[in-house]
């Protein structure tokens, strides 16, 4: 016999005894099999219903079904609250079959439970079931209408939602604030502005124009429909405002690029003493980032610290982003450390910051840590990591990141695919870059530019120009960077006439105004082709003041074609603009040396010593079996040093004429006798020798170098490719060189 019921706060002895039989973890980890109900008990079932609610809140619908059967067998009733929780879980998990099962169990439910079933069908997008139930309901209330209207509007089915509104009006049922709010929230595109205007008019006629939630929804509707003036008008007429109204209008201004208007609203909030939340600060900081208002951003950051909100991720992340955008990485790093639980956006911001200051290895270190911890990622993280791998020419890590992004569905369609094209191009895998490009359905300007530049820097001028013509037939329009790629392709391949035509057509045909960089490309094209007088005239007469690169391009051409007179003019102007440019001194030293003017060459060397010019350490690296092997000039630290130098001895061409040994960036700090020996031990020669003893004959040797390849090593690579038959690819600081059977893809035009 059932024990007398006690007040809810005092459980019966029987209930307490049964509760003691439930393991403490039952509602968290156990399945229904660990909780058995004795047969024949006719209890109110408080504990059983509690367990059923727990299972539904955890989304364990299978266990909940099994437990329902046990409750039925034991004769324990399921209370309305349990049914509500079960139906809510079915809706959240879009489990229509379980939802229908629960619906069938209800029999003759209350109106409240009918509304719960209706909400479940809408959440599962089973609007046929929802309409059938709605039509069968004998007692519909405003909530019933609102649930179905909200269900349709949330799924973008505005026609059905407004059909129901019309029926309500015909039946004389008043639309309440909830219905209006849900309908207005669904209008998020300028194409539905007219509908929004009609709703606004209806709100006024129904007397709800002073309702805060409704009028806020109207203001936000105008924001989403890009009617900011009307949104502001509605906002200013509000009798009472809330944080949602303020942030909605501020967000509208920020998205429209009107960050100053957003900040004006923030100042107004401060003056009016409006209570601010995390979202207000988040939007305000984004506006500061967009304008790079560092001082104002710092003041807002200080206010956030006073309020104790800097550890909140929704506020801390925009603070980090602000400092990164304003190139204050130390401040960004400190702000990041104060975020209690960084999310994917926080990690993305700090990784971007490390990439921005050139600490690419650190960004990869963070990425590896996030992967090990299986933390949430976003497409921006992968884009930054791919860009870091491009800068480091880390093919293995970049390929892994690409595969991981595809697996997670996080390849950004805005920048990620273009980053992949650039990455594969910079790692010497132009075949993969082409595949990545051709896989894009409708390449945008960034993607077209990436593949054109990729071919340009690989010396494939005709392919680059062919791609540019394809781009002209697409919907994408070339930009400034696109033309840098096109002009570079022409310059590196001797297509002077074509380069001139493209430069002249930029503004006239494409609406892209040439910059100093485009004119420098043209100077470079003239200079490489030996048209030094034309290059000099262009430098003097172009519509910009020549920069250091203008004169350096001319000086490079003078060295190639041994024009000392113009070379001295170019060097003088270059070193006046940039007196610490090591390359300028090196080119002049070699130019004087090629004319036998060793006194002048010695003076150049003396000036370099007096200025204590610091050069970047030359380094070449090669990846073999997933491991990166790095070499510097004269390096003898590699485990296979003896094998490497033995191979070099076999291959090195003898250099006996001291005057033919030119000064390079690799051996600028050494004297002439030392240079003769070290020339044989330049970093790329060591890398080539290691590649020959480590890589099979049918696999290309791919080497990367941080400085320009010198002529001697360029000739050495051609010689090696001829005598060994091995394909060799070297990427120096300016372009790719593909060597095969004694020839280079640049045709010695570099």
């Amino acid at each position: 016999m059932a024990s007398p019921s006690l007040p809810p706060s005092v459980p019966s002895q029987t209930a307490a005894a049964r509760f003691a039989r439930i393991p403490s973890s039952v509602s968290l980890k156990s399945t229904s099999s660990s909780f058995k109900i004795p047969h024949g008990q006719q209890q109110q079932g408080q504990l059983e219903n509690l367990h059923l609610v727990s299972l539904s809140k955890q989304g364990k619908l299978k266990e909940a079904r099994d437990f329902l059967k046990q409750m039925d067998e034991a004769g324990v009733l399921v209370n309305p609250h349990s049914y509500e929780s079960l139906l809510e879980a079915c809706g959240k998990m879009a489990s229509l079959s379980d939802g229908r099962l629960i619906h069938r169990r209800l029999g003759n439910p209350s109106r409240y439970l009918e509304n719960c079933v209706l909400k479940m069908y809408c959440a599962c997008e089973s609007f046929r079931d929802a309409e059938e139930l709605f039509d069968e309901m004998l007692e519909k209330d405003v909530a019933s209408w609102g649930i179905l209207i909200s269900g349709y509007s949330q799924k973008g089915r505005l026609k059905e939602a407004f059909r129901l509104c019309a029926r309500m009006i015909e039946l004389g049922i008043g639309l309440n604030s909830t219905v209006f709010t849900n309908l207005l929230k669904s209008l998020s595109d300028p194409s539905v502005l007219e509908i929004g205007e009609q709703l606004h008019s209806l709100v006024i006629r129904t007397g709800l124009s002073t309702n805060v939630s409704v009028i806020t929804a109207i203001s936000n509707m105008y924001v989403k429909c890009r009617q900011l003036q009307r949104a502001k008008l509605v906002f200013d007429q509000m009798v009472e405002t809330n944080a949602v109204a303020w942030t909605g209008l501020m967000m509208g201004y920020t998205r429209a690029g009107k960050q100053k208007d957003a900040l004006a609203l923030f100042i107004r909030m401060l003056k009016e003493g409006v209570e601010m939340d995390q979202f207000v600060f988040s939007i305000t900081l984004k506006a500061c980032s967009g304008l790079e208002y560092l001082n104002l951003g710092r003041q807002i950051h200080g206010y956030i610290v006073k309020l104790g909100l800097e550890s909140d991720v929704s506020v801390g992340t925009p603070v980090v982003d602000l400092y990164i955008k304003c190139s204050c990485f130390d401040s960004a790093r400190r702000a990041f450390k104060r975020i209690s639980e960084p999310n994917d956006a926080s990690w993305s911001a700090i990784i971007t910051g490390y990439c921005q200051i050139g600490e690419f290895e650190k960004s990869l270190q963070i990425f590896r840590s996030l992967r090990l911890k299986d933390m949430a990622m976003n497409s921006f993280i992968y884009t930054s990591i791919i860009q870091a791998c491009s800068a480091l020419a880390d093919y293995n890590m970049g390929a892994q990141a690409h595969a991981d992004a595809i697996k997670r569905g996080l390849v950004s369609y805005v920048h990620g695919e273009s980053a992949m094209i650039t990455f594969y191009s910079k790692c010497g895998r132009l075949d993969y870059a082409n595949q990545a490009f051709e896989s894009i359905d409708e390449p945008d300007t960034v993607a077209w530019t990436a593949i054109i530049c990729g071919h340009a820097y690989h010396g494939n001028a005709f392919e680059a120009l062919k791609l540019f013509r394809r781009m002209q037939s697409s919907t994408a329009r070339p930009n400034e960077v696109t033309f840098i790629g096109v002009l570079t392709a022409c310059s590196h391949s001797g297509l002077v006439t074509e380069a001139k035509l493209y430069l002249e057509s930029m503004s006239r045909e494409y609406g892209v105004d040439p910059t100093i960089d485009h004119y420098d490309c043209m100077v470079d094209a003239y200079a490489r082709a030996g048209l030094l007088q034309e290059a000099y005239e262009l430098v003097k007469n172009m519509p910009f003041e020549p920069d250091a690169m203008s004169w350096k391009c001319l000086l490079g051409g003078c060295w190639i074609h041994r024009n000392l007179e113009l070379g001295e003019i170019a060097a003088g102007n270059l070193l006046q603009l940039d007196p610490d440019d090591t390359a300028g001194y090196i080119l002049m030293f070699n130019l004087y040396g090629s004319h036998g003017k060793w006194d002048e060459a010695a003076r150049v060397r003396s000036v370099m010593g007096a200025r204590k010019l610091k050069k970047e350490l030359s380094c070449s690296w090669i990846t073999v079996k997933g491991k990166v092997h790095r070499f510097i000039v004269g390096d003898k630290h590699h485990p296979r040093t003896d094998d490497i130098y033995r191979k070099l001895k076999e291959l090195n061409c003898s250099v006996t004429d001291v005057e033919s040994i030119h000064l390079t960036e690799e051996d600028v700090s050494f004297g002439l006798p030392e240079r003769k020996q070290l020339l044989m031990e330049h970093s790329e020669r060591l890398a080539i020798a290691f590649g020959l003893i480590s890589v099979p004959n049918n696999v290309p040797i791919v080497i990367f170098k941080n400085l320009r390849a010198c002529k001697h090593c360029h000739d050495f690579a051609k010689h090696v490719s001829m005598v060994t038959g091995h394909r060799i690819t070297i990427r120096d600081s300016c372009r790719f060189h593909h060597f095969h059977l004694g020839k280079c893809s640049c045709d010695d035009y570099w």
Side-chain angles (χ1 to χ4, degrees):
M1 181 179 293
S3 60
S5 57
L6 298 173
S9 60
V10 185
S12 67
Q13 289 183 345
T14 307
R18 284 162 47 215
F19 182 81
R21 294 180 59 190
I22 305 176
S24 61
S25 60
V26 69
S27 65
L28 298 175
K29 299 177 181 176
S30 65
T31 62
S32 58
S33 60
S34 64
F35 183 29
K36 301 292 184 182
I37 302 172
H39 285 275
Q41 291 186 349
Q42 299 292 330
Q43 298 291 336
Q44 287 182 342
Q46 291 178 356
L47 295 175
E48 291 83 356
N49 277 283
L50 180 65
H51 182 56
L52 192 59
V53 169
S54 176
L55 289 173
S56 63
K57 287 187 180 298
Q58 296 175 74
K60 296 182 176 180
L61 294 179
K62 182 180 181 301
E63 291 90 335
R65 286 198 309 271
D66 295 340
F67 195 67
L68 277 171
K69 290 178 184 176
Q70 292 185 42
M71 290 178 70
D72 290 342
E73 291 168 2
V76 178
L77 297 176
V78 181
N79 66 31
H81 179 59
S82 297
Y83 278 124
E84 180 187 359
S85 295
L86 285 166
L87 289 165
E88 184 179 348
C90 292
K92 283 182 178 178
M93 300 180 68
S95 181
L96 183 59
S97 57
D98 286 313
R100 284 172 173 163
L101 177 67
I102 304 300
H103 184 195
R104 287 195 294 271
R105 287 180 56 92
L106 289 176
N108 187 25
S110 65
R111 185 171 59 189
Y112 178 76
L113 279 181
E114 280 188 313
N115 284 341
C116 290
V117 176
L118 191 62
K119 192 180 294 184
M120 178 273 297
Y121 281 135
C122 289
C124 292
E125 296 188 50
S126 181
F127 289 105
R128 179 178 295 179
D129 287 322
E131 288 275 7
E132 286 180 6
L133 173 61
F134 185 77
D135 291 339
E136 291 170 2
M137 290 173 68
L138 299 176
E139 296 184 17
K140 303 181 187 72
D141 58 8
V142 177
S144 310
W145 288 90
I147 290 167
L148 192 53
I149 290 171
S150 175
Y152 277 128
S153 61
Q154 285 176 7
K155 301 302 178 183
R157 300 177 63 166
L158 300 181
K159 185 176 180 181
E160 291 90 338
F162 282 98
R163 172 178 54 81
L164 286 169
C165 284
R167 278 181 61 190
M168 285 185 74
I169 294 170
E170 287 175 7
L171 295 171
I173 303 171
L175 276 66
N176 63 10
S177 60
T178 304
V179 172
F180 276 119
T181 302
N182 284 321
L183 284 172
L184 288 161
K185 284 180 180 178
S186 68
L187 304 178
S188 57
D189 187 271
S191 63
V192 293
L193 174 61
E194 188 177 347
I195 298 173
E197 291 170 335
Q198 292 176 22
L199 274 178
H200 187 184
S201 176
L202 190 58
V203 164
I204 294 171
R205 292 202 303 271
T206 52
L208 287 171
S209 57
T210 57
N211 184 286
V212 177
S213 62
V214 174
I215 207 67
T216 298
I218 289 173
S219 177
N220 288 341
M221 178 271 296
Y222 282 126
V223 167
K224 288 182 282 189
C225 291
R226 301 174 195 168
Q227 298 290 315
L228 293 177
Q229 286 185 333
R230 297 171 75 173
K232 179 69 162 49
L233 183 63
V234 171
F235 177 84
D236 289 338
Q237 291 176 346
M238 291 176 69
V239 177
E240 180 185 350
T241 57
N242 57 18
V244 177
W246 287 93
T247 54
L249 188 54
M250 288 174 69
M251 188 177 294
Y253 281 135
T254 304
R255 287 177 177 170
K258 298 183 176 182
Q259 288 91 348
K260 290 183 179 179
D261 291 322
L263 293 177
L265 275 180
F266 175 73
I267 301 300
R268 182 174 155 189
M269 288 180 77
L270 287 172
K271 290 179 179 178
E272 295 183 15
V274 179
E275 186 176 351
M276 299 185 188
D277 58 15
Q278 295 94 323
F279 299 106
V280 172
F281 288 116
S282 175
I283 295 166
T284 305
L285 288 165
K286 286 176 183 176
C288 290
S289 296
L291 295 168
E292 296 186 10
Y293 277 8
L294 178 60
N295 290 335
L296 179 58
R298 285 192 190 279
Q299 293 176 48
I300 295 169
H301 184 197
Y303 190 38
I304 289 167
V305 172
K306 286 182 180 179
L307 294 176
L309 292 174
E310 66 175 338
S311 63
D312 188 295
V313 68
S314 62
V315 177
T317 300
V319 171
V320 174
D321 189 59
L322 165 74
Y323 286 130
I324 287 172
K325 294 273 176 61
C326 294
S327 302
C328 296
F329 187 71
D330 288 339
S331 297
R333 188 157 33 197
R334 287 193 294 271
F336 178 82
K337 288 179 179 178
R338 295 189 183 103
I339 302 174
S340 57
E341 295 182 8
N343 60 13
D344 58 320
S346 315
W347 288 110
S348 177
I350 200 68
I351 286 172
T352 300
Y354 277 114
C355 289
Q356 186 175 295
I357 63 171
E359 292 191 28
F360 302 109
E361 292 284 4
K362 181 64 177 178
S363 66
L364 296 185
Q365 182 184 333
I366 294 173
F367 176 68
R368 292 188 189 99
S369 174
L370 293 176
R371 286 182 69 191
L372 284 173
K373 296 174 183 176
D374 198 27
M375 296 184 70
M377 304 270 202
N378 61 35
S379 60
F380 299 105
I381 290 176
Y382 282 100
T383 300
S384 293
I385 292 303
I386 294 299
Q387 290 169 345
C389 292
S390 295
L392 296 170
D394 190 338
Y395 175 75
N396 290 329
M397 187 65 200
Q400 289 176 37
H402 186 197
D404 201 38
I406 292 172
K407 181 180 176 182
R408 295 176 184 237
L410 291 175
V411 178
S412 169
Y413 292 105
V414 181
H415 300 295
E417 291 174 322
S418 301
M420 293 312 311
I421 296 168
T422 301
F423 162 69
Y424 284 121
S425 297
K426 287 190 174 183
C427 288
R429 295 307 304 263
L430 203 52
D431 52 342
Y432 286 170
N434 285 327
Q435 288 180 29
F437 175 75
E438 297 298 345
S439 69
I440 305 174
D441 292 332
E442 293 185 14
D444 61 2
T445 299
V446 179
W448 280 107
T449 300
I451 193 64
I452 289 169
C453 289
H455 279 280
Y457 289 109
H458 276 264
N460 299 337
F462 293 104
E463 185 61 29
L465 298 182
K466 180 181 174 183
L467 284 162
F468 181 68
R469 287 191 290 271
R470 277 181 60 190
M471 181 184 186
Q472 291 172 294
S473 302
S474 72
T475 56
R477 299 289 294 170
N479 61 17
E480 293 179 4
V481 185
T482 312
F483 280 104
I484 293 290
V486 169
L487 293 170
T488 299
C490 295
S491 173
H492 284 188
S493 301
L495 303 176
V496 178
T497 303
E498 289 83 349
K500 187 178 179 182
L501 290 172
Y502 283 122
L503 180 65
E504 292 171 349
S505 68
M506 282 179 61
S507 178
R508 183 180 67 250
E509 295 183 23
Y510 304 98
V512 178
D513 293 329
T515 66
I516 183 68
D517 296 324
H518 299 101
Y519 277 93
D520 285 347
C521 287
M522 192 66 233
V523 173
D524 189 53
Y526 278 133
R528 287 174 186 270
L531 301 172
L532 299 177
Q533 196 59 42
E534 288 85 343
Y536 182 43
E537 291 300 322
L538 181 60
V539 171
K540 290 194 298 180
N541 298 317
M542 63 184 177
F544 301 97
E545 194 68 29
D547 61 5
M549 183 56 69
S550 309
W551 294 111
K552 190 186 292 188
C553 290
L554 178 57
L555 179 57
C558 292
W559 155 238
I560 293 169
H561 301 286
R562 306 298 192 266
N563 188 317
L564 181 58
E565 182 182 352
L566 273 181
E568 288 180 322
I569 295 172
N573 283 281
L574 167 61
L575 297 177
Q576 186 176 354
L577 291 170
D578 189 357
D580 294 330
D581 189 317
T582 307
Y585 293 101
I586 291 170
L587 287 169
M588 274 314 297
F589 177 94
N590 289 332
L591 191 52
Y592 280 129
S594 68
H595 284 77
K597 294 181 176 290
W598 293 107
D599 290 341
E600 290 83 348
R603 280 197 292 272
V604 172
R605 182 64 185 276
S606 177
V607 172
M608 291 179 70
R611 297 192 68 86
K612 297 179 180 179
L613 294 178
K614 291 184 179 181
K615 69 182 182 67
E616 182 181 359
L617 181 66
S618 171
C619 177
S620 296
W621 62 98
I622 179 174
T623 302
V624 176
K625 295 180 180 178
K627 184 179 179 181
V628 178
H629 301 261
R630 291 183 173 86
F631 301 90
I632 60 173
V633 60
D635 201 329
K636 290 184 171 64
H637 295 90
H638 196 276
R640 299 191 65 184
T641 292
D642 291 341
D643 296 331
I644 291 169
Y645 277 86
R646 192 177 299 114
K647 176 59 71 173
L648 268 183
K649 191 173 181 180
E650 294 175 17
L651 297 168
N652 266 332
C653 304
S654 60
V655 182
T656 57
D657 183 6
V658 173
E659 292 188 6
S660 71
I661 301 175
H662 307 298
L663 184 64
T664 72
E665 290 177 272
E666 196 142 0
D667 46 29
V668 67
S669 300
F670 301 98
L672 199 58
E674 295 169 290
R675 289 203 301 275
K676 182 175 179 181
Q677 176 58 36
L678 289 173
L679 180 61
M680 310 302 177
E681 302 171 4
H682 275 189
S683 59
E684 63 260 57
R685 293 195 186 209
L686 298 175
I688 289 172
F690 176 69
L692 289 170
I693 64 176
S694 307
V695 175
N697 285 333
N698 60 341
V699 177
I701 294 173
V702 182
I703 294 166
F704 301 90
K705 185 178 180 181
N706 63 332
L707 302 178
R708 285 292 299 270
C710 71
K711 180 181 184 301
H712 306 288
C713 291
H714 188 267
D715 290 343
F716 175 76
K718 288 198 299 181
H719 172 73
V720 171
S721 72
M722 181 173 62
V723 299
T724 66
H726 223 121
R727 290 182 180 270
I728 301 172
T729 297
I730 298 178
R731 190 197 89 179
D732 65 13
S733 60
C734 292
R735 62 170 294 161
F736 276 89
H737 301 269
H738 300 275
F739 301 93
H740 182 51
L741 299 178
K743 293 184 177 181
C744 178
S745 59
C746 72
D747 289 328
D748 295 336
Y749 198 85
W750 61 288

